[in-house]
DNA sequence: TCCGCTCTTTTGACACGATCAAAACTGGAC
DNA sequence: GTCCAGTTTTGATCGTGTCAAAAGAGCGGA
C-alpha cells in the first residue's frame, strides 16, 4: 500500500506539536482552500475527504489548531466564528455588512498592538483588533 | 394618582419616535446605570422596577433602541452582546480577555471611519471598529 | 374625556453555534 | 510489536437570540 507522503500539511501539524490524523489533515487542507471558513464549511470539506468525520471532531481540531497557534479564530459581530491560517502577521479584516464576506487587510504596523489606546484604565493592552465594515461589490450591485 | 413626570428618559424615548412604556423606561434606565450591559443584566434590573417584564420584551426594547439610534450594540468575540447608550461619538472599546470587562476609549478622530484600510477590495468602507484587548487590573492581580 | 388604530408586550416554541462528557479508538515513541 | 497518552466518536446539553400569534396598551384625534 502507498505510504503517506510527508506533506507540508503534515509538517505543519507535527510542527505545532499535534498528532497527524486524517481529520486534522482534512481540516488543515480545508482552511488552506477556504481562507475564512466557518466551522461547518470546514466540516463539509472535510467530509468529502474523510466521510466518517463528525462535527465535533472538526471543532476539536479547529480548537486545537487555535490553541497551538496554527490557526486564528475571528468573530465578526453578528456572524459565526471564522477560522484562518494566517497567524504570523497582525493583519485585520474587512467585513461586508450585507453578506458577511471577509477580506484580509494588511496591518501597517505589522505587529501587535498596532494601535495604542489614549487611556488604558489600568489594563495591560496586548492587541488591537481592527474590523472595517463596508459593503462588498456584489451587495452594492444587488441594492 | 400621581401623574408620571416627563423625565429625560421619557423625552429620549419619545424623541426617537418610540412609544413610552414601562418596559422601555426600565430598559433605558438600566442602560444608564450599566454602561455596558448584557441583555440579561438589563432584564434583571428591569424586573426590579417592572416585575411583569419578560426577557422577550427586553430584547424587543433593546432592538428597537438600536434601530432607532438610541443605543448601540457591541459584541466582543467570545462574549454575548452588550448594549450602551453612547451613540453619538465614534468611540472604541477596551476589553479584558479574562473577565470580559469593557471600558470605553475615546476615538481620536471622533467620526467614522476613523481609520482607512490600505486596500478596499472594492468595498464601500463605512466604519472602522477598533477593539483593544488586554488584562484588567483585577485579572492581573488574580494571576 | 373617550375612542380606536397601531404599536408593544406576552407567551411559548424553536434555531443556531458551540460545548461537555465518557467510551472507543489509534498515532507514534520506545 | 506494544502500549499509553492523545484523538475521535456519539449523543446530550447549553446559552444567546429569534420567530409567531394573540392579548394588551399608548397616544393622537374627535
Amino acid at each position: 500500500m502507498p505510504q503517506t507522503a510527508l506533506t507540508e500539511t503534515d509538517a505543519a501539524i507535527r510542527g505545532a506539536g499535534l498528532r497527524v490524523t486524517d481529520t486534522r489533515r482534512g481540516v488543515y487542507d480545508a482552511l488552506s482552500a477556504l481562507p475564512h471558513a466557518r466551522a461547518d464549511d470546514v466540516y463539509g470539506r472535510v467530509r468529502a475527504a474523510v466521510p466518517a468525520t463528525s462535527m465535533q471532531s472538526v471543532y476539536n481540531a479547529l480548537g486545537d489548531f487555535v490553541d497551538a497557534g496554527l490557526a486564528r479564530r475571528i468573530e465578526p459581530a453578528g456572524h459565526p466564528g471564522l477560522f484562518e491560517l494566517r497567524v504570523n502577521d497582525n493583519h485585520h479584516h474587512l467585513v461586508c455588512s450585507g453578506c458577511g464576506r471577509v477580506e484580509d487587510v494588511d496591518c501597517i504596523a505589522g505587529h501587535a498592538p498596532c494601535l495604542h489606546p489614549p487611556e488604558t484604565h489600568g489594563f495591560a493592552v496586548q492587541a488591537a483588533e481592527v474590523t472595517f465594515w463596508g459593503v462588498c461589490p456584489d451587495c452594492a450591485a444587488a441594492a
Side-chain angles (χ1 to χ4, degrees), chain A:
Chain A
M1 73 185 90
Q3 187 175 323
T4 306
L6 186 61
T7 62
E8 286 182 25
T9 298
D10 291 41
I13 297 171
R14 295 292 291 280
L18 298 172
R19 286 192 185 164
V20 178
T21 65
D22 288 346
T23 300
R24 287 178 176 167
R25 249 193 293 260
V27 169
Y28 192 94
D29 290 343
L31 290 182
S32 299
L34 308 168
H36 301 103
R38 309 185 334 168
D40 43 348
D41 294 334
V42 173
Y43 180 52
R45 263 202 166 241
V46 173
R47 277 189 82 89
V50 191
T53 309
S54 66
M55 188 74 219
Q56 181 63 55
S57 298
V58 170
Y59 272 111
N60 286 346
L62 289 169
D64 292 342
F65 284 1
V66 171
D67 290 346
L70 256 189
R72 191 151 81 96
R73 178 186 178 145
I74 61 172
E75 205 175 319
H79 296 273
L82 304 174
F83 296 86
E84 65 183 359
L85 292 177
R86 274 184 71 174
V87 289
N88 290 323
D89 56 347
N90 184 53
H91 72 276
H92 304 305
H93 296 100
L94 174 53
V95 184
C96 176
S97 48
C99 63
R101 182 178 141 198
V102 176
E103 297 291 341
D104 287 333
V105 171
D106 290 334
C107 178
I108 297 167
H111 55 84
C114 57
L115 291 175
H116 298 271
E119 338 138 40
T120 67
H121 295 271
F123 283 48
V125 179
Q126 294 161 336
E129 181 185 322
V130 180
T131 303
F132 295 98
W133 290 89
V135 179
C136 75
D138 292 350
C139 287

